[in-house]
Amino acid sequence: MRTISKSSIFYLRYGTQFSLVSLSLIAIGIAVFIQSIFKNINNLPLAVAFLMVGPMLLFVSVVRSNNKIKLIMTGNHSRGRYKEWKNSFMIRNNSTLVFLIYTYHDKRGKLKETAVLSTNMNAREEVNIFYNEDDSVVLEYLPGSPWMKSYNEIVR
């Protein structure tokens, strides 16, 4: 079993854009709730809506992040090689998002592929991939930019 530093676990859970948006919704909900109590009670339904949606989205984000953490800790390790990029036809901050495709060999020697969504078309040539039968994750493209200090230790 691999060990992951506490700061890497924190960034994997709360450093994703999904969790940051969720935390922002919670903060907006609290601000609107306080404003509705002291100034305008008609804004209370809006505050309740933000305070219901924000924690639900944060819960989903943390569950997804915990699955990635578990995969890194207990999954199989392989080195992936860059194959190609494919257009995702999505735009974020005036940049086109692309899928960076990496190939790796699983423990049975079978060639598999995994993809990472990125704005940078200049991909790394080799990456660390953790996988099991159903899922895979590329270490270098995770929030907080974790890296392998040794085979059993991942730090940020």
Side-chain angles (χ1 to χ4, degrees), residues 81-129:
R81 292 196 122 327
Y82 175 70
K83 179 181 176 185
E84 65 183 344
W85 65 269
K86 293 182 181 176
N87 195 347
S88 69
F89 301 104
M90 293 185 281
I91 296 175
R92 188 183 99 208
N93 295 337
N94 295 328
S95 299
T96 302
L97 293 172
V98 294
F99 288 108
L100 302 175
I101 310 295
Y102 287 94
T103 58
Y104 65 96
H105 292 280
D106 65 0
K107 62 183 175 183
R108 295 182 183 140
K110 185 177 177 183
L111 187 66
K112 292 191 170 189
E113 289 185 353
T114 188
V116 176
L117 197 59
S118 176
T119 57
N120 188 359
M121 290 182 209
N122 300 327
R124 299 171 184 251
E125 284 299 315
E126 276 197 355
V127 292
N128 293 301
I129 297 176

